[in-house]
Amino acid sequence: MAPVEDHPLRYQLANELHARPFPSMHAPCAAAYVAFKQPEMAASRDRAADLDHLHKLLDRHGVAHPQPGATHYYGQIGRYWLKWEQHTEFVTYTIFSDGVEERAFDPRAFDPFPEDWLVDAPGQRVTSILVRVEPRMEAETMRARLREWFVPESLAVSSVLEDAAVMAGDFRIDQNGHMRFAVFTSEGTGQRRVGRIVQRLCEIETYKSMSMLGFARVRSLGAQLGALDTRVTELVESMSVEGSRAEETLQALLAISAELETVSAQSSFRFGATWAYEAIVNERIAALREDRFEGRQTFREFMVRRYQPAMRTVRSAQDRLEAMSARGVRAANLLRTRVDVERSAQNQALLESMDKRSDLQLRLQRTVEGLSVVAISYYAVSLAGYLLYPLEGPTGLSKNLLTALVTVPVVLGVWWLVRRLRRSVEK
């Protein structure tokens, strides 16, 4: 039997599903996480620069490079483990370390990332996170730590994965520029499950931050959209005013429509990315299967209260932009119809004036034809007179009589010829 031919991408696509496994973590441990994004055109950035930046970090620790064109890496650097992932718009680095510092959320957890290396990153920091993982303790001790580590007003705490752990965070940036999350693992919780919880916490914060870029975009567009909306409304209202010039209004409306299309084109990618990131945030929270812990707000409730209103604002702005574009198109179509009607009326008036001119030209032509008959007849009679003068002797008729005799036939003949010629031309 002949071997079955595989698609050239079969193994590559199948292995892609297993290329980014969750880390294995055993409490107590910690994670330091940072994400970088290019300020402009991040989706079409030079991805080789991301890989080159990873190589510089690995070279400092004397670690071998990943394969050329790699989009992810997981390996040991010194006494730490490093996870690197390249995404559509950003790149992430995570350092996993065993044990925790006595000082909670000590910024020294970022020491494996050299300061000059961070400064040279090809992009800007989107978020950085410190995650502290400890075994679950007595409720009173845990409550005391939550009061000490987080801001109570925005603190979210929940029991996750059927009470496998309790996770907490306030989504605030501390004095060192990092987000803080704490995970208290129950006895018997597996290392991979702990790793999944930490990974999802980092993803929730990262994709939340990325989706909020859409909110920032909407805020920057607020004044421009308001001004365009006012101009569109004024132009639509002017359409019903007597004496308004439709063509000038149409040109102004087309200019506004072009500006709206430009704004829409510049914002379409950010809006689409915002909805994709929002969906990931909701999926990651759902995957944690939260339960309420001691009556505190869960991560889902925090997102509903603080995050979803921002997303609704983005959606409202997108809908408003689409509605304004549609309104501009409808108004332009109405104006085009009005301009076409006015032009038809002008064309009709022009045709009527052309008919009048043609009638006048025809009358003038007939007048000229009469004059031309007289003129031609005059010269024809003169020529005929010269031809008949030799007959003066034989006939005994005078020159004047001979001229008079031929005048009527010549005039009739010329008139007949001119009339025939005109009819042949008019056919």
Side-chain angles (χ1 to χ4, degrees), residues 114-135:
E115 185 174 350
D116 60 331
W117 176 85
L118 289 171
V119 172
D120 291 337
Q124 300 171 339
R125 179 171 61 173
V126 176
T127 187
S128 58
I129 305 170
L130 287 172
V131 183
R132 183 181 179 93
V133 183
E134 295 184 1

Side-chain angles (χ1 to χ4, degrees), residues 74-244:
Y74 185 73
Q76 192 168 8
I77 55 171
R79 64 186 185 90
Y80 306 102
W81 285 87
L82 170 67
K83 185 175 184 179
W84 172 82
E85 292 184 322
Q86 191 179 62
H87 300 266
T88 302
E89 287 194 274
F90 58 93
V91 61
T92 63
Y93 293 82
T94 312
I95 289 289
F96 302 101
S97 58
D98 293 330
V100 292
E101 299 288 343
E102 183 177 352
R103 175 188 174 190
F105 302 105
D106 194 323
R108 288 181 296 177
F110 272 84
D111 285 350
F113 299 130
E115 185 174 350
D116 60 331
W117 176 85
L118 289 171
V119 172
D120 291 337
Q124 300 171 339
R125 179 171 61 173
V126 176
T127 187
S128 58
I129 305 170
L130 287 172
V131 183
R132 183 181 179 93
V133 183
E134 295 184 1
R136 194 163 178 173
M137 54 201 69
E138 293 182 358
E140 184 57 38
T141 303
M142 194 155 53
R143 283 194 291 269
R145 296 199 175 191
L146 294 179
R147 286 193 300 269
E148 178 185 354
W149 293 346
F150 302 107
V151 177
E153 188 271 332
S154 58
L155 176 62
V157 187
S158 58
S159 173
V160 297
L161 301 177
E162 292 78 39
D163 205 33
V166 173
M167 66 180 190
D170 58 7
F171 294 95
R172 292 180 180 269
I173 300 175
D174 66 13
Q175 66 272 18
N176 298 306
H178 309 304
M179 289 280 184
R180 296 179 171 187
F181 292 101
V183 178
F184 303 97
T185 61
S186 301
E187 185 178 355
T189 301
Q191 296 182 21
R192 291 192 178 276
R193 175 163 281 194
V194 175
R196 284 198 296 272
I197 295 172
V198 172
Q199 180 74 20
R200 283 168 179 160
L201 277 173
C202 294
E203 290 174 347
I204 289 169
E205 168 55 28
T206 302
Y207 289 113
K208 176 187 70 69
S209 300
M210 290 298 298
S211 60
M212 289 297 289
L213 293 177
F215 179 70
R217 174 67 175 163
V218 165
R219 294 183 67 177
S220 68
L221 289 176
Q224 184 179 8
L225 290 181
L228 288 173
D229 196 5
T230 301
R231 288 165 59 190
V232 171
T233 302
E234 291 175 350
L235 287 174
V236 171
E237 290 176 350
S238 69
M239 291 169 55
S240 58
V241 176
E242 266 315 309
S244 63

Side-chain angles (χ1 to χ4, degrees), residues 260-274:
L260 285 171
E261 286 300 318
T262 300
V263 173
S264 180
Q266 293 173 346
S267 306
S268 60
F269 176 82
R270 179 50 52 205
F271 287 150
T274 296

Side-chain angles (χ1 to χ4, degrees), residues 26-62:
H26 179 72
C29 59
Y33 175 94
V34 63
F36 297 105
K37 174 189 175 298
Q38 292 283 0
E40 300 291 339
M41 306 297 290
S44 57
R45 70 189 184 278
D46 180 11
R47 296 174 183 268
D50 296 338
L51 199 57
D52 182 63
H53 193 232
L54 171 66
H55 292 167
K56 291 178 181 178
L57 179 62
L58 297 179
D59 289 342
R60 299 208 180 189
H61 295 275

